[in-house]
Amino acid sequence: MPKKKSDSSVTIAAPPEPGSARLTEQSAAPSRTALLREMLLIRRFEERCAEAYALGKIGGFCHLYIGQEAVGVGAISALRDDDYVIASYRDHGQALARGVPPRAIMAELFGRSDGCSKGKGGSMHVFDRNVNFLGGHGIVGGHIPLATGVGFAIKYRGGDQVCLCFFGEAAVNGGAFHEALNMAALWKLPVIYLIENNRYGMGTALERASAINDIAERACSYDMPNEVVDGQEVFAVREAVMRAAQRARNDHTPTLIEVRTYRFMGHSMSDAVSGTYRTKEELEEHMKRDPITLLRGEMERHGEWSDQDMSALDEEIKGIVEDAWNYADASPEPALESLTEDVYVNSEL
Amino acid sequence: MPVITYRDALNQALREEMQRDDRVFIMGEEVGVYQGAYKVSKGMLQEFGEMRVVDTPITELGFAGVGVGAAMVGLRPIIEFMTWNFALLALDQVVNSAAKMLYMSGGQFSIPIVFRGPNGAALQLSAQHSQAWESWLAHIPGLKVVAPGTPYDAKGLLKSAVRDENPVIVLEGEMLYNTKGDVPAEEYLIPIGKAALKREGDHCSIITHGKMILVALQAADQLAKEGIRVEVLDLLSLRPMDVEAIVATVRKTNRAVVLEEGWEVAGIGAQVVDYIQRECFDDLDAPVVRVHQTDVPMPYAKNLERAAKPDVPKTIAAVKRVMYLEQ
Ligand SMILES: Cc1ncc(C[n+]2csc(CCOP(=O)(O)OP(=O)(O)O)c2C)c(N)n1
Ligand SMILES: [Mg+2]
């Protein structure tokens, strides 16, 4: 039986008018340099995280974003400051792109009191209320219904914000995904569900876990607009999320976006980079499409960029990351009294 | 006797039971190609093929149900949860399907299934990944619950679990997989429902289970240097619980500390203490003291995590308290 695509899946809203009142500066087209900068910040930040993990400064599970930088950066560049972002445990990149200070994230990873979650959450649980970053969540698929709930609250209050929800391709096989998308479509909620399809769960390839390979098509069950995007092209991601945000703001329609990307590292710092589940050759092939290299190439073609510019930028970014490291290292451990704080909020009636 | 890891002991148990009975299969996330998230099922895909070593999508609710359905019609599934934190998603099938099927069908459908995987905290995995669920599971009539803390117990109990005609929960430990111990080369089973005395003493009993057995034994070693002779009872099974063994040790020492990894409120220790007060009221020389995780979600920071977990110093302090040696 041919797979029926819902009509809505081909709907592509017109790109936003420049200067539209609805758009804040953040979603007014950023320069290539601005996006490159953010991607490079994530890359260098994650590289230092790997070092810190090896030194035992970061513990537990630590999932890096190397290879996927264009996804978080492109997608979040399409949002307004008053929109919401929610992510899985692979959350450093989205948090940085959203503007959570590198110092606060690094201090969180080091388990220190100046961390954005006071050292209680760690790598998988970056939260920052100041920038509407609703967390890193550790149970696969568990936060997808939360995004639907945020969409519900936006509609309830009559707002025109959107909620952008990041999760991996393996999460679409679980019940939470389906329940959440059905309600969002049924109730017309302003949510953008963004699948970061990096081809693998821990060690299970997409084809070994999902009955269909074009996972964006899962949206058809809910008559939800959907599209597939090249996740190594930061502007492609940005534009897809802009279209979805328009749909969400203008008529509260949710969208499912499948972003095809690849992780260059192991699933987490405790897992092998390649091995029984993927070959080194496959990895090397994908690394040829490094999102940062692709954007740089693009800039060179436009005569916007020289190697000198690049090394200056890189030095600057390394400085920011170094500063975050030093800040985290100097931050005190959480006070022992804090162990029993924040279990309940004070609620005297 | 061969000395092997807890992980290899489980692997032996799984392989022996699958060789013995072709109705037995294992299903779960990363059990096959990846050789197990914690390598417990290493080599099994190669030995038994993909019909019997089944990689699933990340669908705990779904594959737990698949297991129960298969058990209803004659198979004997072993369902591996990558950790019990994720098994929360499957609890509906474990509780509402597996545990009750026999009863609500008036004895027609028994469910010979094993649900197994690591339980409790490892290191710095923080709130959503560091939880000990035994009291939740032991609460449910229709389930059996075992929590081996050594390679020997892991192998013998897992084999019994696979052969049991009822749903059996096997609680392992991420921090246990690399620990080593004696495991006989020849076949043996450990009966479900029997506790084991892991150390004899006459001053005070520590009653515990699972990973905390290692903490109890270390505490007992250290206390021995101060002349305090601690008896250590390993419950091994939490449902059914070996009340006789609890009573025997408390009658012998007249003092008890109950140690568990999870939280205090409605924990396993509360049940143990209830048996003690019912059966040994007149034997006690001091109130029973419990050692458990601080009543908070597990924090990430090293120092806070250390403060939250039950450990050797806290156990030693508890023993001294029931012996009126310390406040
Ligand atoms: C419900 C649940 N089951 C299992 C896990 C263990 N686990 C953590 S991440 C992961 C793979 C997820 O892959 P995917 O959704 O594709 O995201 P990615 O890590 O590739 O970004 C698994 C199995 C979990 N955290 N939650
Ligand atoms: Mg993935």
Side-chain angles (χ1 to χ4, degrees):
Chain A
M1 202 175 71
K3 283 177 190 153
K4 184 179 168 290
K5 276 220 171 189
S6 77
D7 289 344
S8 52
S9 70
V10 292
T11 311
I12 294 177
E17 297 282 328
S20 144
R22 284 238 161 100
L23 298 173
T24 60
E25 266 180 61
Q26 203 181 352
S27 58
S31 64
R32 292 188 185 87
T33 319
L35 296 189
L36 180 72
R37 197 190 155 79
E38 287 185 34
M39 285 162 61
L40 202 59
L41 174 63
I42 297 173
R43 176 69 54 93
R44 297 292 175 242
F45 187 94
E46 296 291 63
E47 287 167 353
R48 289 308 301 268
C49 285
E51 272 174 54
Y53 197 89
L55 293 172
K57 289 183 183 290
I58 299 176
F61 289 146
C62 181
H63 309 79
L64 301 183
Y65 205 53
I66 295 177
Q68 302 181 210
E69 293 92 341
V71 186
V73 167
I76 290 171
S77 78
L79 298 187
R80 298 191 324 215
D81 289 349
D82 61 344
D83 291 329
Y84 297 93
V85 177
I86 190 164
S88 75
Y89 45 83
R90 195 180 299 286
D91 59 357
H92 310 171
Q94 298 90 336
L96 285 165
R98 186 56 181 171
V100 184
R103 283 179 164 192
I105 303 174
M106 196 63 94
E108 186 58 38
L109 302 184
F110 281 29
R112 303 302 173 84
S113 56
D114 294 302
C116 49
S117 306
K118 297 185 195 160
K120 283 180 165 170
S123 165
M124 297 189 285
H125 307 298
V126 173
F127 285 81
D128 191 348
R129 221 190 153 90
N130 296 328
V131 294
N132 285 353
F133 191 76
L134 305 181
H137 297 266
I139 304 300
V140 168
H143 64 293
I144 307 175
L146 305 187
T148 305
V150 173
F152 182 86
I154 292 169
K155 188 171 179 184
Y156 189 93
R157 292 193 301 238
D160 71 341
Q161 303 108 299
V162 304
C163 178
L164 171 62
C165 177
F166 291 90
F167 49 93
E169 87 296 333
V172 307
N173 301 312
F177 166 84
H178 295 277
E179 297 175 29
L181 264 72
N182 182 51
M183 285 185 280
L186 178 68
W187 295 332
K188 295 186 72 82
L189 304 178
V191 185
I192 304 167
Y193 301 95
L194 190 153
I195 306 166
E196 299 202 51
N197 178 3
N198 61 10
R199 306 249 324 106
Y200 295 93
M202 271 176 68
T204 303
L206 162 68
E207 298 76 20
R208 297 185 52 249
S210 174
I212 59 170
N213 296 344
D214 290 316
I215 40 186
E217 287 185 8
R218 292 193 181 246
C220 302
S221 316
Y222 310 110
D223 200 18
M224 188 184 288
N226 63 85
E227 61 178 292
V228 180
V229 183
D230 179 352
Q232 306 312 86
E233 295 278 3
V234 67
F235 281 93
V237 178
R238 174 183 155 81
E239 279 148 27
V241 175
M242 299 267 283
R243 287 189 285 275
Q246 281 285 311
R247 259 193 301 271
R249 292 192 213 288
N250 295 343
D251 53 46
H252 282 167
T253 303
T255 301
L256 179 68
I257 304 177
E258 177 191 343
V259 180
R260 297 207 170 143
T261 182
Y262 200 80
R263 73 169 148 70
F264 293 176
M265 307 290 286
H267 169 70
S268 80
M269 287 305 297
S270 355
D271 301 287
V273 179
S274 57
T276 51
Y277 72 99
R278 70 176 183 189
T279 61
K280 230 174 121 214
E281 290 69 40
E282 179 190 308
L283 176 66
E284 279 162 6
E285 200 48 43
H286 278 274
M287 286 174 83
K288 291 183 188 154
R289 296 201 71 240
D290 182 319
I292 293 177
T293 318
L294 290 182
L295 181 58
R296 269 193 66 187
E298 180 77 8
M299 292 170 80
E300 273 160 26
R301 271 192 298 285
H302 285 81
E304 285 178 7
W305 201 246
S306 67
D307 284 347
Q308 268 167 344
D309 296 334
M310 186 66 191
S311 48
L313 179 66
D314 207 18
E315 281 317 303
E316 188 201 331
I317 299 282
K318 282 181 178 159
I320 294 171
V321 177
E322 186 61 25
D323 168 73
W325 176 299
N326 293 336
Y327 176 85
D329 221 17
S331 171
E333 288 190 319
L336 279 182
E337 306 85 74
S338 75
L339 177 61
T340 52
E341 291 166 5
D342 297 326
V343 179
Y344 298 98
V345 69
N346 191 6
S347 168
E348 269 161 41
L349 298 179
Chain B
M1 206 183 294
V3 174
I4 63 172
T5 61
Y6 188 100
R7 168 185 293 111
D8 289 340
L10 291 169
N11 181 274
Q12 283 184 5
L14 292 170
R15 292 194 6 245
E16 286 174 17
E17 292 308 302
M18 283 178 60
Q19 286 156 1
R20 179 177 172 270
D21 184 343
D22 64 12
R23 296 168 303 170
V24 179
F25 67 95
I26 182 167
M27 175 177 271
E29 292 158 18
E30 311 288 3
V31 296
V33 172
Y34 203 67
Q35 307 288 301
Y38 296 102
K39 308 294 173 228
V40 170
S41 54
K42 194 167 179 197
M44 289 178 58
L45 175 66
Q46 289 68 19
E47 181 173 351
F48 298 102
E50 53 186 34
M51 207 61 216
R52 297 184 72 197
V53 180
V54 186
D55 278 326
T56 65
I58 306 174
T59 49
E60 286 81 3
L61 175 70
F63 67 75
V66 168
V68 177
M72 285 182 80
V73 294
L75 298 186
R76 303 181 73 88
I78 300 169
I79 301 297
E80 173 172 311
F81 293 122
M82 195 178 281
T83 82
W84 278 93
N85 301 289
F86 315 141
L88 274 199
L89 287 155
L91 272 195
D92 175 56
Q93 292 297 353
V94 174
V95 174
N96 273 325
S97 298
K100 297 171 182 163
M101 197 73 74
L102 183 67
Y103 195 79
M104 66 190 183
S105 68
Q108 295 180 76
F109 288 97
S110 60
I111 308 294
I113 193 169
V114 173
F115 297 106
R116 50 159 287 271
N119 175 56
L123 284 176
Q124 283 200 279
L125 298 185
S126 164
Q128 293 184 323
H129 282 74
S130 314
Q131 307 170 92
W133 293 120
E134 48 266 54
S135 74
W136 285 46
L137 296 157
H139 190 58
I140 309 298
L143 299 181
K144 296 186 181 181
V145 182
V146 301
T150 65
Y152 174 81
D153 296 323
K155 182 170 178 186
L157 281 170
L158 178 53
K159 285 171 67 82
S160 297
V162 176
R163 295 190 201 181
D164 203 288
E165 297 301 331
N166 299 285
V168 183
I169 308 288
V170 181
L171 301 171
E172 303 162 6
E174 207 178 315
M175 306 297 290
L176 289 173
Y177 288 133
N178 280 333
T179 59
K180 289 188 174 170
D182 290 337
V183 174
E186 64 279 3
E187 167 145 315
Y188 66 99
L189 297 172
I190 296 178
I192 295 174
K194 283 266 169 262
L197 211 51
K198 291 287 165 76
R199 181 186 178 110
E200 295 204 41
D202 55 358
H203 288 159
C204 175
S205 305
I206 300 178
I207 300 167
T208 189
H209 65 271
K211 188 194 313 176
M212 289 298 115
I213 188 70
L214 306 180
V215 171
L217 290 172
Q218 279 180 49
D221 277 345
Q222 292 190 24
L223 285 161
K225 291 179 196 144
E226 300 178 37
I228 300 169
R229 297 188 297 270
V230 171
E231 177 143 305
V232 177
L233 182 70
D234 186 346
L235 291 170
L236 292 178
S237 295
L238 305 174
R239 179 188 268 272
M241 205 182 272
D242 189 347
V243 182
E244 261 177 48
I246 296 171
V247 171
T249 185
V250 175
R251 292 221 167 119
K252 176 177 174 193
T253 65
N254 312 108
R255 297 172 197 271
V257 165
V258 185
L259 165 64
E260 70 189 299
E261 194 183 349
W263 293 296
E264 175 180 21
V265 178
I268 289 293
Q271 186 60 37
V272 174
V273 171
D274 177 56
Y275 289 134
I276 295 174
Q277 66 84 21
R278 268 193 271 171
E279 306 290 333
C280 310
F281 189 76
D282 293 327
D283 302 294
L284 287 176
D285 286 344
V288 180
V289 171
R290 291 177 58 195
V291 183
H292 44 75
Q293 185 188 323
T294 307
D295 196 22
V296 298
M298 190 65 85
Y300 166 76
K302 262 186 206 154
N303 66 326
L304 296 186
E305 184 182 45
R306 211 177 302 124
K309 285 175 166 176
D311 60 8
V312 173
K314 287 176 194 171
T315 307
I316 289 176
V319 169
K320 291 187 173 173
R321 220 170 109 203
V322 293
M323 295 190 63
Y324 297 135
L325 294 170
E326 236 170 50
Q327 271 318 294

